[in-house]
Amino acid sequence: MSKNVQTLDEVTVMFAGDSGDGMQLVGTEMANTSAIVGNDIGTFPDFPAEIRAPQGTLAGVSGYQLHFGNYDLHTPGDECDTLVAMNPAALKTNLKKLKSNGILIVDTANFQARDLLLAKYASNPLEDYSLEKYQLFPVNITGLTREALKETGLDTKSIDKCKNFFSLGIIFWLYNRPLNYTINILETKFAKKPQIAKANILALKGGYAYCEATEAFRVSFDVKPAKLTPGTYRSITGNTATALGLVAAAVKSGKEVFLGSYPITPASEILHELSKFKNYGVKTFQAEDEIAAICSAIGASFAGKIGVTTTSGPGLALKTEAVGLAIATELPLVVVDVQRAGPSTGLPTKTEQSDLLFAVYGRNADSPLPVIAASSPSDCFNAVYEAVQIAVKFMTPVICLTDGYLANGSEPWKIPKVEELKPIEINFRTEPEGFFPYQRNPETLARDWAIPGNPGTEHRIGGIERENITGNISYDSDNHQVMTNLRFEKIEKVASFYPKTEIFGKEKGELLVISWGGTYGSIHTAMEKCLKKGLSVSHVHLRYINPLPNDLAGIIKNFRQVLVPELNNGQLIKVIRDKYLVDAKGFNKVKGLPFTSGELEAKFIEMIGG
Amino acid sequence: MSAVENKPLTKKDFESDQDVRWCPGCGDYAILSQVQKMMPVLGNTRENTVFVSGIGCSSRFPYYLNTYGFHTIHGRAPAFAIGIKAANPNLDVWIATGDGDALSIGGNHFIHLMRRNPNIKVLLFNNRIYGLTKGQYSPTSEHGKVTKSSPFGSIEEPFNPTSLALGANASFVARAVDRDTKHLSSVIEAAAKHKGTAFVEIYQNCIIFNDGAFTPYTEKETKLENCLYLEHGKPMVFGQNSDKGIKLDGTVPKVVSLTDGKNSLEDLIVHDQFSEDQTLANLITHLSDNKDFPVPVGVFRSISRPCYEDQLVEQMESAKALKGTGDLQKLFNQGDTWEVK
Ligand code: SF4
């Protein structure tokens, strides 16, 4: 019988199971395969902070949401078309995300009394008709995997570890994805353990064959390739993009990047990635704590390298004194803050945009620095690259904000040509004649960067206020005023090098949406829908948080209302209201989850009285 | 190169044009002077030398040397220094720190510096008090110390800095006293020549807040009685007339007389600063904890251990040898890619 294939524009699928079930792995495989066949993708991995939370509990659920489509997507999808739930806890946690009439695949083997109890189900949802509004497909995934792998000679525990690939096989059949990419990956990954590779491949094929043989699903679906800008693509997460952006900065500037970092969720992958790239002129140092991490990076900058430190909110809190020293000594430094939900430890694996005020203002005394933000996983590459450019051009620390959602989420990345990347020019001061450490470039107000090893430019700098030009210790009150002004003016000057601010929508109208960071995708998607409807909404997504672009004031004036949606309790809005004296309204959410485009669209429509 | 440039450097070349601002009579002056004097002797150049410091009286040190200098933040000098050394292993990196800076707020960085063993020299000016903040007890102040913040006497046990360094497996541990300038410069020289992290505790008199803390070890009349001058390969002898020594009684050190006929030089512990085993160095560091023993000065331990920056460079070089100098485009394109036409 020929397969009945229905073509769709876009699909959202979620794999949910126990944190030990390998859901992130199969989710990533589905995402990569979809990207390779030409779909645009957006992903949202959502997992607990504990490495192995108690099995079968609601706290231990790990989910991977994938959105793939035949057009330019910007989000991991609002609602799911298909949900794979490996146990009752996964079902309970994620069912609210499944569309009515959505496909629900459950592993019936894990719906025993104990599993139901752990998930706090009073009765078995597979039997109590509570799932009637979905297309329920109960499949004994565990049992079928055991059956398919019984010849492998593996013990039951090892066999059960392959059940995630059985479920991936089902999804591959359902969405007509080729198996060969995943098979290749498994063969490479387990090259040294061919038995494990074989078992997983058998499970994958088993899931696929099960659908084929049983005709469990009457229809299957296909999503044609998206019409993306021509070029070579790969799928990339925000943290990998950040790491590559830093390597690119090292190569393009011809200077070493020195990363001082301390492990912290969700930023550690940047350290892991960069540690591999020793042959690209990247030195990594896993410091004893967050403070040593930034201090070592500043030390490296003093010695003429591109000092970088990567962290998340709690780590940034520890680093602030050192950031102040980098401001005072006017040394280049890039601080990447992969934001997470807080305060304190907060929700380490959940996303939030709540370090904006901290990045802009969170230091003792008047201590301005540039703050920039990435807007999508692949944009982390551009953002951190630009952070390096600003840091070395203006001799200043720069905070680059990404977040957990961008860090772990992935999307296709149009791979740039190395020769097309903007150059990063670094000119050390070598001429001793007339050298003073705090002499400035009149255009940028950046001071000269003379480094140890260069004869004749020996100098001493430090945290005590420095005399203008000479850099000698100075307790003079007028000098302090001069230096405070200079530090402020220098950072303000950064804005004169920005490109024109882009407006999505008309330049004049009823509602202007101003946003920043990782909310770009969902806001852009909501905007597309509003513009299609002809609504008077426009959108500015900010790359530059401090200083704000000079043309923003003029843009704001052309709208009757301003809305600032943020995944925090209202932070950019405070800066906007302060700077432009405009009665901006906030739209805020702090659930450790991204906005859905649906809730944004509804808010925009409500604002314009639609 | 002109003849002028080839002229050997002198102490003067290492003096900066900044006014030194320690209290008159502060022990820091003597240390500064010895360091400035030793720089040309050690063959250090101004351009390749970097002094790094944290916060405190001692941490003003870099401003007074005409080399590169970085006056950083409280306690963190080791972290800056290792960044500098890792960035450019050719630099001679020195840390000037104090007991509060290195052992209180910077205790964590201090021990990790010792264990990583970069080729960095650490001069810890121990005055057993907080000077710059005007006289609170420090982590090396003795139990019972009455200060502004401990009017009824400190109820804390002090750190023994050499023992702490050794506990973190420091490859070089030494002690000197500010006013014994000849001995001090010999210790500085040994530290400079050591390849690895060299830790030197310098007893430094704070004339304002803790005057006389080290008098027994500095005054002509008392110092030979109270100090044990360590010399490699020599028995541990001390006393005004070299009439006392230290011997091992089982595993316990003991002060013995060399004049009562019961013990001779052969019975004494012979110092071995190069011993890989930590036992002897450990014994030496603890002598100063016991009032019955003289305070050891000189080089306690000096062993060879791989340096952090050498291993880092080696990893980078072997990565280059193995994979070739990184091709950025290849790196971008690694993994599964696809073409959109
Ligand atoms: S307070 Fe003490 S340590 Fe500080 S400069 Fe004065 S004498 Fe020296």
Side-chain angles (χ1 to χ4, degrees), chain A residues 143-342:
Chain A
L144 289 164
T145 307
R146 285 181 189 168
E147 192 58 31
L149 270 60
K150 67 170 186 261
E151 311 277 288
T152 56
L154 291 173
D155 56 52
T156 315
K157 207 172 149 208
S158 307
I159 288 177
D160 284 355
K161 277 195 182 147
C162 300
K163 63 178 188 248
N164 54 338
F165 278 94
F166 192 95
S167 59
L168 181 64
I170 296 176
I171 295 297
F172 273 5
W173 185 91
L174 189 58
Y175 290 103
N176 288 286
R177 313 273 102 174
L179 275 57
N180 56 322
Y181 299 106
T182 300
I183 292 173
N184 277 344
I185 293 276
L186 284 168
E187 280 170 348
T188 329
K189 188 172 170 177
F190 296 111
K192 295 209 177 97
K193 295 178 186 162
Q195 211 188 3
I196 301 291
K198 203 178 133 208
N200 280 309
I201 293 167
L202 268 177
L204 178 73
K205 288 181 172 168
Y208 200 91
Y210 165 80
C211 300
E212 198 85 13
T214 60
E215 293 176 23
F217 303 94
R218 275 176 296 105
V219 283
S220 69
F221 306 92
D222 193 16
V223 176
K224 297 288 178 219
K227 287 162 222 57
L228 300 173
T229 321
T232 308
Y233 284 78
R234 67 179 272 195
S235 164
I236 199 163
T237 65
N239 275 345
T240 304
T242 303
L244 291 185
L246 290 168
V247 180
V251 172
K252 291 298 275 191
S253 64
K255 301 282 178 282
E256 276 174 11
V257 157
F258 178 97
L259 173 75
S261 189
Y262 186 75
I264 186 168
T265 303
S268 303
E269 290 83 9
I270 307 172
L271 169 64
H272 304 168
E273 284 292 308
L274 285 173
S275 302
K276 296 182 209 157
F277 303 143
K278 296 233 157 43
N279 56 330
Y280 288 85
V282 177
K283 281 179 175 158
T284 55
F285 172 62
Q286 183 178 312
E288 58 271 27
D289 59 27
E290 293 281 357
I291 297 171
I294 185 171
C295 292
S296 64
I298 297 172
S301 291
F302 179 71
K305 310 299 175 198
I306 300 169
V308 178
T309 188
T310 48
T311 190
S312 187
L316 187 61
L318 287 164
K319 293 181 196 292
T320 52
E321 187 189 12
V323 174
L325 181 72
I327 292 171
T329 51
E330 304 192 33
L331 284 167
L333 174 77
V334 172
V335 181
V336 178
D337 174 11
V338 186
Q339 300 164 94
R340 68 189 215 190

Side-chain angles (χ1 to χ4, degrees), chain B residues 23 25-28 57 126-132 135 178 204-214:
Chain B
C23 307
C26 174
D28 291 356
C57 291
N126 183 5
N127 55 17
R128 296 188 178 154
I129 199 83
Y130 282 106
L132 197 62
D178 56 0
Q204 174 248 321
N205 191 40
C206 170
I207 195 165
I208 304 294
F209 297 111
N210 202 14
D211 193 22
F214 305 107

